[in-house]
Amino acid sequence: MGKILFIDVDGTLVDYEGNIPASAVSAIRTARENGCRVYICTGRSRAEVYAPLWDIGLDGMIGGNGSYVEDRGEVILHRLITPEQAKRAVDWLHERGLEFYLESNNGLFASEHFEEAGRAAVALYSQRKGREPQTVREAFPDMVFGGELYRDDLNKISFLLSSYQDYLDAAAAFPDLKAGTWGGKGEDALFGDLGVKGITKASAIEALLRHLGANVKDTVAFGDAKVDIPMFEYCAYSVAMGSGGPEAKAAADFVTGDVEQDGLYQAFEALGLLGTRGLREYDAF
C-alpha cells in the first residue's frame, strides 16, 4: 500500500466559490494511479458529498469531522447523536427561538423558519468566502424543508446565532455533546453547532488505519482550518493551504499555494505523489 492521503473539502479540495480545480482532480487521480489511497476528511455529512466529488475517484471518506468513516463503500464507523439528545436539542432550540438544520447521511432537514431566518447569515457567509451572496436554497441545494425534526440519524446540528451567548449557553446546556461555532472567528461566528462528543478527524483516521492494517507513518493530511489541526498532529506529514487560517498554517509541516491557484496540485508534486522525487523532509519519514 502506498501513501494514505486525507484531504479536507471546503477550502482545500473545493475553492471558496464551490469549484473543484481541475488541477486538484488531476493530482488525486495520478496519486491513486501511483498506489496512493485518497480519502476526503470533512465536516460534511455524506448527504453533502455530491457526485462531482465522488467522480474524482476516491477510496472513501471521513465525515462529520470524525463521526463517520467509509472505505470503498463499507461503513467502518458511524457515531450518532442519540435520539434523546437530538430531541432535547431540538426542543431547546425551539424554546430559545433559534432556527437550525439537522445534518444526517440521509439529508439536511431545516427547522420551520430556517429559510427566512437564515437568509442574511448565509449571504454573509458566502461573502466571507469570497463568493457572490447565496440564498439558503443555493447554499443547501438538497435541504429538506418541512421534514421530521425528531430524528435518530443525526451527525450534527447547526443553528443560527442571534449572539455569541447562544453558543455559550448551548455549550452549558449540552455538556454531553460537542459544541462549536462556524462561519466566522470567535464572536463573529454566524452559526453554532452540536455534535458527537469525543471525536475528531484524528480519531477517525486512527479507526480507518486499524481497519486497513496500515501504519500512520504512511499518512499525509491536507487542510486549511483549525478543525484540521488534530489530523495534522496525528498524521506523519501535514500540508496547509496558503489560503488557510493562520493556526492551520502554523501547525502544518508545509504550506502550499492557495486552493484556487493549484495549491493542492503543487503540494502533491512537491511531496513526490505524482511520480516526482519530492521534498527531502517528506522522503525522510
Side-chain angles (χ1 to χ4, degrees):
M1 186 183 300
K3 301 300 181 185
I4 307 170
L5 315 181
F6 298 96
I7 306 174
D8 173 57
V9 174
D10 298 290
T12 302
L13 176 56
V14 175
D15 70 19
Y16 295 121
E17 294 182 357
N19 303 310
I20 306 171
S23 63
V25 175
S26 174
I28 289 171
R29 289 176 176 170
T30 301
R32 292 186 77 226
E33 289 171 1
N34 289 338
C36 295
R37 284 185 179 237
V38 179
Y39 298 84
I40 54 172
C41 195
T42 176
R44 298 189 189 194
S45 293
R46 200 186 193 287
E48 299 171 274
V49 181
Y50 305 116
L53 284 169
W54 289 114
D55 290 345
I56 295 170
L58 300 170
D59 290 285
M61 69 169 288
I62 290 170
N65 284 329
S67 66
Y68 177 77
V69 181
E70 179 180 321
D71 174 49
R72 297 184 175 179
E74 180 183 358
V75 178
I76 306 305
L77 176 151
H78 195 185
R79 293 184 61 188
L80 296 168
I81 295 173
T82 69
E84 295 76 17
Q85 290 171 324
K87 183 180 185 301
R88 189 159 52 90
V90 166
D91 289 345
W92 185 85
L93 291 164
H94 274 144
E95 290 167 5
R96 200 174 180 95
L98 298 174
E99 298 300 322
F100 57 90
Y101 68 92
L102 312 175
E103 303 181 39
S104 86
N105 285 5
N106 297 311
L108 305 180
F109 301 89
S111 62
E112 295 83 350
H113 306 292
F114 180 78
E115 183 173 12
E116 179 182 355
R119 186 180 299 122
V122 169
L124 181 54
Y125 180 66
S126 303
Q127 289 178 306
R128 287 179 177 178
K129 288 292 188 180
R131 300 192 294 256
E132 291 296 318
Q134 290 182 300
T135 67
V136 170
R137 290 181 185 263
E138 288 171 338
F140 305 103
D142 295 331
M143 181 171 278
V144 176
F145 298 89
E148 176 59 54
L149 298 179
Y150 290 150
R151 306 188 62 87
D152 61 1
D153 59 352
L154 299 187
N155 301 318
K156 193 167 63 171
I157 301 170
S158 285
F159 56 94
L160 292 163
L161 294 174
S162 63
S163 72
Y164 192 70
Q165 190 62 43
D166 292 327
Y167 154 69
L168 297 175
D169 291 346
F174 299 97
D176 54 335
L177 293 173
K178 182 179 180 180
T181 62
W182 59 277
K185 186 176 181 179
E187 295 191 9
D188 289 329
L190 299 170
F191 293 87
D193 61 33
L194 294 167
V196 178
K197 195 165 187 176
I199 56 99
T200 65
K201 291 184 176 184
S203 64
I205 292 171
E206 184 178 24
L208 178 59
L209 294 181
R210 283 198 302 269
H211 168 75
L212 296 175
N215 196 308
V216 69
K217 71 180 180 62
D218 293 320
T219 58
V220 190
F222 301 81
D224 75 308
K226 191 172 181 179
V227 71
D228 297 315
I229 292 176
M231 72 170 178
F232 282 7
E233 293 173 341
Y234 180 78
C235 289
Y237 201 83
S238 57
V239 178
M241 307 306 290
S243 44
E247 301 100 332
K249 289 193 281 190
D253 296 306
F254 178 64
V255 178
T256 188
D258 291 0
V259 57
E260 66 271 25
Q261 297 175 343
D262 303 321
L264 199 65
Y265 184 94
Q266 293 168 16
F268 274 46
E269 186 174 45
L271 300 182
L273 302 172
L274 306 180
T276 52
R277 174 167 169 71
L279 292 171
R280 181 177 303 169
E281 296 96 328
Y282 178 79
D283 293 337
F285 78 74

